[in-house]
Amino acid sequence: MSVDGWNTVLVLGGIRSGKSEFAESLVAEAPTVRYVATAADADADDAEWSARLAAHRDRRPETWTTEETAGDPRRLADVIASAEPNETLLVDDLGGWVTVLLDPAHQPADDTATIAELATAIRDCAAKLVLVSPEVGLSLVPTTPLGRAFTDALGAANRAVADACDAVVLVVAGQPAWLKPTAPRPVTVPAQGGPAATTGNGATSTPAHAAPEHPALPDVLTPTIPPAPSTPADAGTPWSAPTMALPMVATGLVIQPGMELPMPDEYAGPQAVDRLATLDVPGAGLGVLDRVVGFAAATQGTPTPVPWDSVRVLLVHGDHAGGAAAGTVSGESARRARQARAGQGALARLAAESGASLQVVDAPTARPIESEPALTPEQVESALRHGWRLAEQAADAGVRLLVLGACGAGTEAAAAAVLAATAGAEPPTVLGRVVTDAGEYDDAAWMVRCAAVRDALHRTRRSPRDAKDVLAELGGGDIAVATGVLLGATARRVPVMLDGPVGVAAGMVSRDLAGQARHWCLLADHGGHPAVRLAADVLGLTPLLDLRLDLGEGANALAALPLLRSVLSLTAALPVHPSLGGGTESGEEPEETDEPDFREPEPAGPGPTSTEPEPEPADPTGWRAG
């Protein structure tokens, strides 16, 4: 189910509001769904009602099973109570159930007791359950006794079921409005660990190695450049100071394909590039760096963009087990993450020099993709929402640019698997050679990685290639979190500078969830990675530089950031060329003089010593011998 942390959801809505379609979207990713139909079959002469029922049946996937309860409305509570924890039920709808309940064939009956039994079954339900019901409380009071009995019974049922459900959503004109809880539950990125332990009183406790139910977002570090050491003993002094993490942000948004997120300004970018041709520069201009001006203008919504004054680096740390991590040193990625948290290493140093904040994010470890899915569907949903919240936190803090990087064992192989699944790439062509700590190539490890990706693609050859399926089967926690970051940043109009295979793999996945996300992405340098080259071509991202930096994801982008900022500062400050009516750089008009712009040169040799007028020269050019 796409609503994390909620097992039971009530979907309310008026006639033709889209409530059934929305409810079906909540369970669309479940492997199997038991559809519980409550309405009685249509009469032979009611063609319109028959058509409605047929439309509902046609929308159901072939993997769904259907169960009818119209013969005995009291059986609905039994069906819900007996559902297993691994099942998903969709009940559509309670209006039909109340209609059958009030049918004279089932009277006399205690309707209140039957509704109470249903609420109890929902409250104790172990399965994932979505119920659909018409909202009749906004209509006029019916004029007939039967109509009043129906609205009263359905209103009582809706209230009882809403109280029993974890979440309630009202669908109006196809737009969902969450009524309960008013502040949706925060979503966690679960750690790899065993099930929760049970205490003596029957409550559950979280193991020490598992993620807490409501974790705070990671601390945001603000690295600073240390002073020059006076003695060698000062060389190891860390130069970071953690800042307070901002409060968590919960959106209640269902992350699903086809989301409509904002696009950059389609006019500001071209206007900014056209403006470059009018600036007072002595040379031919910025060359390929005019693209960064167009990108900044479009994402800032102005033809005169300014440098990014607040930058945050998100370093996603997540390992991949199995053959994907062949050739890596055990514990190296964790050491890099600890180093960044301590404000040390290349990434933190460059962040300090750029005045950027740094946030290290832990993602769940992915299982071996050659033999099993990397993540469960629940972990994918949690990771996506966690990344979305990280982007929202940054936007609320006034961040104007996010730099997205990653560190983890097996990230390049996982990114290659995602590219093979989404772009049809051949794994060997997008897997870079493995380089050891000694600077030597490890071709044996490279072949193990290729084999792991090949086996993973063979294992999933009949699996869907939807975005969330790709993340669950092949991507892993780091790519899922990065995808959530891209989507959340797009929703908040914050541009993202990608750096490395994980970022571009997330860009490929986010394209299938919201096509607008790639337009908010900037790629400074491809770093020589074949996966980055291919993904950039598919996403339409042209690297601004070709420096082939390999300082680690995130650090490459920070190394290029001062140049990009300088370009934006220059274009924002330079005036229009005087020949086009521009003034000086200070904004003042150039001082006018009576002297002509071009004058004949003075003759060579000594000048006249007399004050009397010289006779007209015979040479019409005005030159004379000295």
Side-chain angles (χ1 to χ4, degrees):
M1 186 184 302
S2 298
V3 187
D4 272 339
W6 300 333
N7 270 351
T8 54
V9 181
L10 173 63
V11 180
L12 298 169
I15 299 173
R16 298 295 192 186
S17 63
K19 59 184 183 296
S20 293
E21 290 91 336
F22 180 78
E24 291 165 6
S25 72
L26 294 181
V27 300
E29 295 171 8
T32 59
V33 175
R34 183 143 55 114
Y35 186 96
V36 183
T38 61
D41 290 334
D43 294 335
D45 56 348
D46 194 344
E48 191 272 339
W49 184 249
S50 298
R52 289 195 180 205
L53 295 180
H56 276 257
R57 293 190 188 100
D58 292 341
R59 285 204 307 265
R60 300 172 205 165
E62 295 180 356
T63 56
W64 290 16
T65 60
T66 302
E67 189 161 347
E68 307 265 352
T69 64
D72 182 7
R74 295 171 185 82
R75 199 169 71 85
L76 178 60
D78 297 334
V79 171
I80 294 174
S82 62
E84 298 294 330
N86 60 345
E87 287 190 283
T88 301
L89 272 63
L90 173 58
V91 179
D92 195 358
D93 68 1
L94 295 184
W97 179 75
V98 168
T99 300
V100 176
L101 183 64
L102 297 179
D103 191 290
H106 301 288
Q107 297 296 328
D110 189 344
D111 303 337
T112 303
T114 305
I115 293 173
E117 291 173 2
L118 176 63
T120 300
I122 294 171
R123 195 172 283 109
D124 299 335
C125 181
K128 292 183 177 179
L129 173 65
V130 176
L131 303 103
V132 182
S133 184
E135 174 53 58
V136 294
L138 303 178
S139 60
L140 298 174
V141 177
T143 58
T144 62
L146 184 59
R148 288 192 292 271
F150 173 78
T151 54
D152 290 346
L154 183 56
N158 285 347
R159 291 182 60 180
V161 171
D163 183 68
C165 283
D166 297 329
V168 181
V169 58
L170 174 66
V171 180
V172 180
Q175 306 303 308
W178 292 92
L179 308 179
K180 174 189 176 182
T182 53
R185 301 181 184 183
V187 179
T188 68
V189 180
Q192 297 292 318
T198 304
T199 62
N201 59 4
T204 58
S205 62
T206 304
H209 60 275
E213 183 180 359
H214 304 292
L217 292 174
D219 288 341
V220 178
L221 309 177
T222 307
T224 57
I225 301 176
S230 56
T231 64
D234 294 336
T237 303
W239 31 267
S240 68
T243 61
M244 182 180 297
L246 297 177
M248 291 186 298
V249 180
T251 64
L253 177 71
V254 178
I255 299 178
Q256 58 188 4
M259 291 188 297
E260 289 295 331
L261 300 182
M263 283 282 289
D265 192 315
E266 61 179 318
Y267 300 108
Q271 290 172 355
V273 175
D274 292 342
R275 177 178 170 273
L276 296 179
T278 69
L279 298 183
D280 186 11
V281 293
L286 299 174
V288 297
L289 291 179
D290 62 357
R291 289 196 293 265
V292 72
V293 178
F295 174 83
T299 53
Q300 295 178 20
T302 172
T304 55
V306 297
W308 300 292
D309 57 351
S310 179
V311 179
R312 177 168 297 177
V313 183
L314 291 178
L315 181 67
V316 184
H317 170 232
D319 290 335
H320 298 256
T328 58
V329 178
S330 178
E332 176 65 12
S333 66
R335 185 184 73 84
R336 292 292 183 189
R338 289 194 303 269
Q339 187 182 57
R341 285 192 176 98
Q344 300 171 344
L347 179 65
R349 177 77 190 199
L350 288 169
E353 292 182 348
S354 300
S357 59
L358 174 60
Q359 193 171 19
V360 182
V361 184
D362 287 322
T365 300
R367 292 181 286 274
I369 58 175
E370 61 265 37
S371 58
E372 58 183 316
L375 299 176
T376 65
E378 290 76 17
Q379 287 177 310
V380 170
E381 292 289 348
S382 297
L384 287 171
R385 285 174 166 268
H386 194 70
W388 186 291
R389 288 170 48 225
L390 289 168
E392 284 204 321
Q393 182 197 46
D396 290 339
V399 171
R400 295 293 176 261
L401 176 70
L402 283 173
V403 175
L404 185 58
C407 68
T411 56
E412 293 187 6
V418 170
L419 289 177
T422 56
E426 290 293 335
T429 65
V430 291
L431 262 176
R433 298 181 70 180
V434 179
V435 182
T436 66
D437 290 341
E440 299 176 348
Y441 289 116
D442 188 347
D443 289 334
W446 178 82
M447 287 187 285
V448 173
R449 294 186 185 185
C450 287
V453 176
R454 177 203 61 197
D455 293 344
L457 295 173
H458 180 76
R459 178 182 60 81
T460 61
R461 64 191 182 280
R462 294 189 177 90
S463 300
R465 286 293 188 250
D466 295 336
K468 293 182 181 179
D469 296 307
V470 170
L471 290 174
E473 294 287 351
L474 306 170
D478 51 355
I479 298 178
V481 170
T483 302
V485 169
L486 293 183
L487 296 173
T490 299
R492 296 298 297 269
R493 300 177 180 273
V494 177
V496 181
M497 188 181 296
L498 304 180
D499 188 4
V502 169
V504 295
M508 294 292 294
V509 176
S510 66
R511 179 188 61 168
D512 296 331
L513 292 170
Q516 302 85 1
R518 67 183 181 89
H519 297 281
W520 294 88
C521 296
L522 181 68
L523 185 61
D525 189 5
H526 55 68
H529 290 286
V532 177
R533 288 177 179 271
L534 173 66
D537 185 58
V538 175
L539 294 172
L541 303 177
T542 303
L544 299 173
L545 307 171
D546 188 9
L547 302 178
R548 298 178 181 269
L549 296 173
D550 195 9
L551 302 172
E553 292 196 25
N556 303 317
L558 287 178
L561 182 60
L563 173 62
L564 306 184
R565 277 175 160 171
S566 298
V567 167
L568 295 178
S569 297
L570 185 66
T571 56
L574 285 178
V576 175
H577 194 279
S579 65
L580 299 175
T584 64
E585 191 166 341
S586 62
E588 299 177 0
E589 292 295 328
E591 183 179 353
E592 293 186 1
T593 65
D594 295 333
E595 301 229 356
D597 290 336
F598 300 97
R599 291 177 294 176
E600 294 287 343
E602 293 291 336
T609 58
S610 172
T611 58
E612 296 182 4
E614 288 284 321
E616 288 292 331
D619 190 340
T621 62
W623 290 90
R624 67 175 186 266

PDB file of all heavy atoms in Angstrom, residues 540-552:
ATOM      1  N   GLY A 540      18.841  14.118 -20.915  1.00  0.00           N
ATOM      2  CA  GLY A 540      18.995  15.414 -21.567  1.00  0.00           C
ATOM      3  C   GLY A 540      19.839  16.379 -20.756  1.00  0.00           C
ATOM      4  O   GLY A 540      19.668  17.596 -20.876  1.00  0.00           O
ATOM      5  N   LEU A 541      20.773  15.861 -19.942  1.00  0.00           N
ATOM      6  CA  LEU A 541      21.647  16.696 -19.124  1.00  0.00           C
ATOM      7  C   LEU A 541      23.034  16.732 -19.773  1.00  0.00           C
ATOM      8  O   LEU A 541      23.664  15.693 -19.945  1.00  0.00           O
ATOM      9  CB  LEU A 541      21.760  16.150 -17.697  1.00  0.00           C
ATOM     10  CG  LEU A 541      20.453  15.989 -16.917  1.00  0.00           C
ATOM     11  CD1 LEU A 541      20.724  15.363 -15.560  1.00  0.00           C
ATOM     12  CD2 LEU A 541      19.768  17.335 -16.749  1.00  0.00           C
ATOM     13  N   THR A 542      23.480  17.917 -20.119  1.00  0.00           N
ATOM     14  CA  THR A 542      24.807  18.070 -20.709  1.00  0.00           C
ATOM     15  C   THR A 542      25.781  18.497 -19.630  1.00  0.00           C
ATOM     16  O   THR A 542      25.586  19.548 -19.005  1.00  0.00           O
ATOM     17  CB  THR A 542      24.787  19.120 -21.829  1.00  0.00           C
ATOM     18  OG1 THR A 542      23.824  18.742 -22.823  1.00  0.00           O
ATOM     19  CG2 THR A 542      26.161  19.242 -22.467  1.00  0.00           C
ATOM     20  N   PRO A 543      26.824  17.696 -19.349  1.00  0.00           N
ATOM     21  CA  PRO A 543      27.807  18.112 -18.338  1.00  0.00           C
ATOM     22  C   PRO A 543      28.421  19.457 -18.693  1.00  0.00           C
ATOM     23  O   PRO A 543      28.788  19.701 -19.845  1.00  0.00           O
ATOM     24  CB  PRO A 543      28.840  16.990 -18.353  1.00  0.00           C
ATOM     25  CG  PRO A 543      28.122  15.808 -18.934  1.00  0.00           C
ATOM     26  CD  PRO A 543      27.146  16.372 -19.916  1.00  0.00           C
ATOM     27  N   LEU A 544      28.536  20.342 -17.699  1.00  0.00           N
ATOM     28  CA  LEU A 544      29.086  21.666 -17.949  1.00  0.00           C
ATOM     29  C   LEU A 544      30.588  21.620 -18.154  1.00  0.00           C
ATOM     30  O   LEU A 544      31.151  22.438 -18.883  1.00  0.00           O
ATOM     31  CB  LEU A 544      28.750  22.584 -16.768  1.00  0.00           C
ATOM     32  CG  LEU A 544      27.259  22.807 -16.496  1.00  0.00           C
ATOM     33  CD1 LEU A 544      27.072  23.576 -15.208  1.00  0.00           C
ATOM     34  CD2 LEU A 544      26.610  23.543 -17.660  1.00  0.00           C
ATOM     35  N   LEU A 545      31.252  20.665 -17.490  1.00  0.00           N
ATOM     36  CA  LEU A 545      32.706  20.584 -17.534  1.00  0.00           C
ATOM     37  C   LEU A 545      33.135  19.176 -17.929  1.00  0.00           C
ATOM     38  O   LEU A 545      32.342  18.232 -17.860  1.00  0.00           O
ATOM     39  CB  LEU A 545      33.316  20.947 -16.170  1.00  0.00           C
ATOM     40  CG  LEU A 545      32.880  22.284 -15.565  1.00  0.00           C
ATOM     41  CD1 LEU A 545      33.388  22.413 -14.144  1.00  0.00           C
ATOM     42  CD2 LEU A 545      33.371  23.445 -16.424  1.00  0.00           C
ATOM     43  N   ASP A 546      34.376  19.061 -18.325  1.00  0.00           N
ATOM     44  CA  ASP A 546      34.954  17.761 -18.655  1.00  0.00           C
ATOM     45  C   ASP A 546      36.304  17.657 -17.958  1.00  0.00           C
ATOM     46  O   ASP A 546      37.343  17.523 -18.592  1.00  0.00           O
ATOM     47  CB  ASP A 546      35.093  17.611 -20.170  1.00  0.00           C
ATOM     48  CG  ASP A 546      35.503  16.191 -20.570  1.00  0.00           C
ATOM     49  OD1 ASP A 546      35.511  15.311 -19.689  1.00  0.00           O
ATOM     50  OD2 ASP A 546      35.831  15.975 -21.744  1.00  0.00           O
ATOM     51  N   LEU A 547      36.262  17.702 -16.628  1.00  0.00           N
ATOM     52  CA  LEU A 547      37.488  17.670 -15.839  1.00  0.00           C
ATOM     53  C   LEU A 547      37.862  16.262 -15.410  1.00  0.00           C
ATOM     54  O   LEU A 547      38.963  16.047 -14.907  1.00  0.00           O
ATOM     55  CB  LEU A 547      37.326  18.554 -14.585  1.00  0.00           C
ATOM     56  CG  LEU A 547      36.974  20.019 -14.837  1.00  0.00           C
ATOM     57  CD1 LEU A 547      36.810  20.754 -13.518  1.00  0.00           C
ATOM     58  CD2 LEU A 547      38.049  20.683 -15.686  1.00  0.00           C
ATOM     59  N   ARG A 548      36.929  15.316 -15.539  1.00  0.00           N
ATOM     60  CA  ARG A 548      37.145  13.923 -15.134  1.00  0.00           C
ATOM     61  C   ARG A 548      37.599  13.823 -13.673  1.00  0.00           C
ATOM     62  O   ARG A 548      38.486  13.050 -13.318  1.00  0.00           O
ATOM     63  CB  ARG A 548      38.151  13.240 -16.057  1.00  0.00           C
ATOM     64  CG  ARG A 548      37.686  13.178 -17.493  1.00  0.00           C
ATOM     65  CD  ARG A 548      38.713  12.544 -18.404  1.00  0.00           C
ATOM     66  NE  ARG A 548      38.220  12.521 -19.780  1.00  0.00           N
ATOM     67  CZ  ARG A 548      37.535  11.520 -20.310  1.00  0.00           C
ATOM     68  NH1 ARG A 548      37.246  10.466 -19.577  1.00  0.00           N
ATOM     69  NH2 ARG A 548      37.137  11.568 -21.576  1.00  0.00           N
ATOM     70  N   LEU A 549      36.971  14.623 -12.831  1.00  0.00           N
ATOM     71  CA  LEU A 549      37.284  14.576 -11.408  1.00  0.00           C
ATOM     72  C   LEU A 549      36.778  13.274 -10.801  1.00  0.00           C
ATOM     73  O   LEU A 549      35.712  12.780 -11.167  1.00  0.00           O
ATOM     74  CB  LEU A 549      36.639  15.760 -10.683  1.00  0.00           C
ATOM     75  CG  LEU A 549      37.130  17.155 -11.083  1.00  0.00           C
ATOM     76  CD1 LEU A 549      36.293  18.217 -10.403  1.00  0.00           C
ATOM     77  CD2 LEU A 549      38.595  17.328 -10.735  1.00  0.00           C
ATOM     78  N   ASP A 550      37.536  12.723  -9.877  1.00  0.00           N
ATOM     79  CA  ASP A 550      37.118  11.508  -9.175  1.00  0.00           C
ATOM     80  C   ASP A 550      37.495  11.641  -7.700  1.00  0.00           C
ATOM     81  O   ASP A 550      38.304  10.892  -7.170  1.00  0.00           O
ATOM     82  CB  ASP A 550      37.770  10.266  -9.795  1.00  0.00           C
ATOM     83  CG  ASP A 550      37.088   8.979  -9.330  1.00  0.00           C
ATOM     84  OD1 ASP A 550      36.026   9.069  -8.686  1.00  0.00           O
ATOM     85  OD2 ASP A 550      37.614   7.892  -9.597  1.00  0.00           O
ATOM     86  N   LEU A 551      36.882  12.628  -7.056  1.00  0.00           N
ATOM     87  CA  LEU A 551      37.146  12.913  -5.647  1.00  0.00           C
ATOM     88  C   LEU A 551      36.112  12.278  -4.729  1.00  0.00           C
ATOM     89  O   LEU A 551      36.175  12.473  -3.516  1.00  0.00           O
ATOM     90  CB  LEU A 551      37.163  14.436  -5.418  1.00  0.00           C
ATOM     91  CG  LEU A 551      38.175  15.233  -6.238  1.00  0.00           C
ATOM     92  CD1 LEU A 551      37.932  16.719  -6.056  1.00  0.00           C
ATOM     93  CD2 LEU A 551      39.583  14.861  -5.836  1.00  0.00           C
ATOM     94  N   GLY A 552      35.172  11.558  -5.294  1.00  0.00           N
ATOM     95  CA  GLY A 552      34.061  11.037  -4.518  1.00  0.00           C
ATOM     96  C   GLY A 552      32.800  11.813  -4.829  1.00  0.00           C
ATOM     97  O   GLY A 552      32.840  13.024  -5.107  1.00  0.00           O
TER      98      GLY A 552
END
